[in-house]
Amino acid sequence: MNRSGLIAAGLRAEDVIGKSFDQTFWWSYSEPAREQLRAAMARAADGEPSRYDVQVRVAGDTLVWIDFSLNPVHDVDGRMAYIVPSGNIIHERVLAKEAVEAAKVRLDHLAHHDALTDLPNRMLFQYRLNQVIELAYRQGRQIVVMFVDLDQFKHINDSLGHAVGDKLLRSVAQCLLGCVRHSDTISRQGGDEFVLLLPSITHPEDAAICAQKILTALALPHYIDQHYLHISGSIGISIYPDDGKDGETLIKNADIAMYFAKENGRNNYKFFKQDMNDHAVQWQSIETGLRHALERQEFVLHYQPKINLKNGAIIGVEALIRWQHPERGQLTPNQFMAIAEDCGLILPMGRWVLREACLQAQSWQRAGLPPVIVAVNTSALEFRTKDFLDNIRTVLKETCLEPCYLELELTESVLMQDAGPIDAMLHTLADLGVRLSIDDFGTGYSSLSYLRQFPIGTLKVDQSFVNQMCSNPDDAAIVSAVISMGKSLKKRIIAEGIETQEQYELLLAQDCDEGQGYYFNRPLEAQEIATLLQTSSSLIAN
Ligand code: C2E
Ligand code: MG
Ligand code: MG
């Protein structure tokens, strides 16, 4: 027997000489190694040579791999005479093999996981989903698939850079992992889309609880590169077997439901319903149509008067976009704005609205009408673009509108971004002379200290409170609290969505300065506003 063979057996030369094979080779290695040897010896005894790699421990506890063989030698009559064991140290070869194996495992992992978040990817998700469906089919159980899409993620990516966007996605992945059970699967499908598989949910209500938990967790600020980033998500839920018998359908339907959550104002969840399919087709066609609407000049602005509640004078108008759809007629913002935000088209649309509104305000003035402030709705997405301020300055200059006649209606979500840069931007705008107001006030989470710090002139009490204030004492209390708080912070207060005389009178009694709503006027065409400005000094019927 050669040296490696001895090492393989963990023996010294003197251990072998003069001893029988059995006595010699009954070493103390691991049970699998012994098993291997037993089998090899049995084969050798039958005259069959065997060869295998075995890992053995040699002096100093080093592990080496030995290419070990047992070769039977036959006598001249063909009978088995003795067995020759031999071994060669092959640890480099085996180590290389191990490296290849490790690389294979790694590649396999990469093929099934998302490189950024290390979550299972689309392929692995599909595989697990199919497996779980099979099991659920046999056991007659339900499965939940959840499609989570971040709201306005694209903009964070565009404005703060991809490195921040990537970190945010990782942070979101961690956040999602914290919301589900170990047995659930969270995958990243690409972009800002995550799909969850909850195989052990027994009631749809549990899916709702889980979705709400995710929304709450996502809403906490993500601290990334010195930025506190606020993000929300929209979630669509589909349930096996009702909403789809196969994985692909379940994911597609959860995706459709997710779009409805977005359409419903984002930061919420929706369960899939069969009639959503038709709407999803419409959604797609709206997105396609929107892409051409600007160049085909299909947008128009309508203007709704804002009035002084005490004397009925028109103090301003709010520009509200309408889309003259070639086939579907006039569409209002809630039918297309969410889609426009989602695909980024809101940015060129917003620039068009601003220019058009300023041109219109200027043209009313040139026609000799009493000057009114024109208010333009500004989404958080637009506000965050780098050239937002430059664009305002350029438009004001080119349209020759004095800045004091332009008002920007911001949403509370604008104030919830990084306080530093927002503060600077708001002050620059205020220094320019542009007026600022907070739209839909009361529906977001404005911090009161921000209200004091930022140069916001006006709070627009959200119409949902106004709408209910005569029937619901809680809403009446909120309106009254906003009015008195606004006054003590020296803000103007405007109530939107006034529809009835009762609401108007109640607001007046609570000392609300200004109002807007169908009770006075619906949004009107520019020409109708001109007529109104020309003919009536007060919109309040005596
Ligand atoms: P908003 O800024 O809160 O505008 C008020 C909405 O309430 C308008 O709906 C208006 O027509 C409606 N309204 C006014 N008075 C009443 C009333 O008495 N009762 C009821 N029920 N509704 C009333 P609209 O035009 O459909 O716009 C909806 C939202 O779309 C706007 O809400 C605004 O957030 C957004 N939007 C409209 N135009 C633009 C735009 O040019 N840019 C951006 N970013 N958003 C816009
Ligand atoms: Mg508004
Ligand atoms: Mg509003």
Side-chain angles (χ1 to χ4, degrees):
M1 183 169 174
N2 65 1
R3 236 178 97 71
S4 297
L6 285 178
I7 293 172
L11 300 165
R12 292 160 301 169
E14 53 268 38
D15 296 329
V16 203
I17 296 164
K19 299 219 172 119
S20 79
F21 191 81
D22 271 10
Q23 283 172 316
T24 312
F25 283 91
W26 208 241
W27 54 44
S28 61
Y29 293 138
S30 65
E31 189 52 38
R34 267 191 250 154
E35 268 307 312
Q36 251 177 330
L37 183 68
R38 267 195 212 109
M41 275 176 50
R43 281 201 298 280
D46 288 341
E48 191 192 324
S50 47
R51 185 174 173 182
Y52 58 92
D53 296 345
V54 62
Q55 199 177 29
V56 298
R57 197 173 297 279
V58 294
D61 260 6
T62 314
L63 284 172
V64 295
W65 281 95
I66 305 280
D67 168 12
F68 190 61
S69 58
L70 290 175
N71 295 302
V73 176
H74 301 89
D75 63 15
V76 285
D77 299 326
R79 282 187 303 243
M80 224 272 292
Y82 52 93
I83 297 167
V84 179
S86 72
N88 290 304
I89 298 178
I90 50 154
H91 62 277
E92 292 88 354
R93 178 151 63 86
V94 176
L95 281 182
K97 216 196 269 173
E98 272 178 352
V100 170
E101 281 307 317
K104 267 195 208 153
V105 170
R106 179 89 199 112
L107 281 175
D108 189 58
H109 184 86
L110 284 177
H112 296 107
H113 290 78
D114 163 47
L116 183 67
T117 58
D118 208 36
L119 292 175
N121 63 12
R122 190 189 291 260
M123 202 203 279
L124 180 56
F125 185 83
Q126 272 284 0
Y127 175 76
R128 285 197 192 158
L129 179 57
N130 291 340
Q131 275 189 329
V132 170
I133 287 176
E134 257 183 62
L135 202 67
Y137 172 71
R138 274 187 262 130
Q139 299 175 340
R141 279 193 302 109
Q142 293 187 317
I143 310 169
V144 169
V145 171
M146 252 184 218
F147 205 109
V148 183
D149 188 284
L150 302 182
D151 299 328
Q152 304 178 351
F153 172 75
K154 183 184 173 320
H155 191 71
I156 291 192
N157 234 0
D158 292 350
S159 59
L160 298 175
H162 288 253
V164 172
D166 283 356
K167 284 182 192 164
L168 179 61
L169 287 173
R170 275 193 220 121
S171 172
V172 166
Q174 287 309 313
C175 173
L176 293 175
L177 284 168
C179 293
V180 299
R181 297 185 201 163
H182 200 65
S183 53
D184 301 335
T185 299
I186 301 179
S187 68
R188 177 166 172 246
Q189 303 276 306
D192 59 347
E193 295 174 348
F194 297 84
V195 182
L196 280 65
L197 165 62
L198 313 177
S200 43
I201 275 189
T202 38
H203 300 291
E205 302 88 78
D206 296 337
I209 292 170
C210 180
Q212 190 51 57
K213 192 170 160 193
I214 290 174
L215 292 176
T216 310
L218 278 179
L220 296 172
H222 299 254
Y223 185 66
I224 285 154
D225 288 357
Q226 281 102 50
H227 298 280
Y228 279 105
L229 299 181
H230 290 267
I231 191 125
S232 59
S234 299
I235 302 180
I237 304 170
S238 65
I239 297 182
Y240 170 89
D242 292 357
D243 302 333
K245 305 262 184 292
D246 61 277
E248 212 175 305
T249 311
L250 284 168
I251 297 177
K252 188 190 91 203
N253 288 346
D255 188 8
I256 289 175
M258 182 278 293
Y259 270 98
F260 277 78
K262 276 209 191 290
E263 207 177 15
N264 196 39
R266 303 195 169 86
N267 194 23
N268 67 104
Y269 62 86
K270 281 265 175 277
F271 282 91
F272 174 76
K273 294 201 186 69
Q274 288 303 336
D275 65 358
M276 285 181 173
N277 262 318
D278 308 338
H279 287 89
V281 174
Q282 271 180 28
W283 182 289
Q284 195 53 50
S285 86
I286 285 195
E287 185 173 332
T288 316
L290 269 180
R291 296 195 179 277
H292 305 290
L294 261 182
E295 72 211 39
R296 293 182 188 156
Q297 303 184 340
E298 290 168 0
F299 292 121
V300 285
L301 290 184
H302 282 187
Y303 300 87
Q304 187 177 32
K306 295 182 179 185
I307 65 149
N308 177 321
L309 289 184
K310 311 230 159 92
N311 62 19
I314 300 177
I315 42 159
V317 291
E318 175 175 10
L320 294 160
I321 194 167
R322 302 288 179 260
W323 178 12
Q324 311 283 12
H325 193 281
E327 285 126 39
R328 301 175 57 200
Q330 189 176 95
L331 303 182
T332 53
N334 61 6
Q335 293 171 284
F336 60 86
M337 232 33 192
I339 306 174
E341 284 200 15
D342 222 64
C343 61
L345 280 170
I346 190 148
L347 300 179
M349 280 163 66
R351 282 194 286 271
W352 176 84
V353 171
L354 180 75
R355 179 173 293 273
E356 180 68 18
C358 290
L359 277 173
Q360 187 57 63
Q362 179 64 312
S363 127
W364 284 324
Q365 287 188 23
R366 287 217 176 110
L369 298 167
V372 284
I373 299 163
V374 65
V376 171
N377 289 287
T378 311
S379 71
L381 213 68
E382 295 166 70
F383 196 80
R384 273 186 260 150
T385 49
K386 285 196 195 76
D387 59 354
F388 181 75
L389 279 175
D390 284 345
N391 186 47
I392 300 260
R393 282 197 198 94
T394 311
V395 169
L396 285 171
K397 203 166 148 208
E398 287 177 7
T399 59
C400 300
L401 184 72
E402 277 180 65
C404 64
Y405 292 117
L406 174 65
E407 177 169 333
L408 297 181
E409 292 194 5
L410 309 172
T411 57
E412 283 178 271
S413 60
V414 167
L415 303 191
M416 283 164 61
Q417 298 165 24
D418 257 353
I422 296 298
D423 196 33
M425 267 182 84
L426 294 175
H427 276 99
T428 310
L429 284 166
D431 292 346
L432 262 178
V434 172
R435 294 164 196 259
L436 300 170
S437 64
I438 300 295
D439 205 351
D440 307 336
F441 187 77
T443 55
Y445 304 93
S446 294
S447 134
L448 296 184
S449 64
Y450 280 9
L451 282 186
R452 201 186 45 203
Q453 162 193 352
F454 294 148
I456 303 286
T458 309
L459 306 181
K460 293 191 80 177
V461 184
D462 187 62
Q463 50 180 284
S464 59
F465 303 117
V466 176
N467 191 263
Q468 300 289 319
M469 65 185 288
C470 295
S471 53
N472 184 340
D474 288 346
D475 286 318
I478 290 174
V479 173
S480 145
V482 171
I483 293 172
S484 56
M485 179 206 64
K487 289 214 176 266
S488 61
L489 288 172
K490 309 229 167 12
K491 312 283 180 200
R492 302 176 74 85
I493 308 292
I494 175 161
E496 35 175 8
I498 306 174
E499 290 183 354
T500 64
Q501 178 149 8
E502 207 185 352
Q503 289 163 353
Y504 160 60
E505 281 168 2
L506 194 55
L507 286 161
L508 203 55
Q510 291 182 346
D511 205 19
C512 183
D513 304 317
E514 294 162 14
Q516 177 185 351
Y518 296 166
Y519 176 62
F520 310 108
N521 277 109
R522 289 189 169 255
L524 303 169
E525 287 179 20
Q527 186 47 48
E528 295 174 292
I529 293 285
T531 312
L532 208 60
L533 286 173
Q534 210 161 27
T535 54
S536 56
S537 59
S538 171
L539 284 183
I540 299 172
N542 291 311

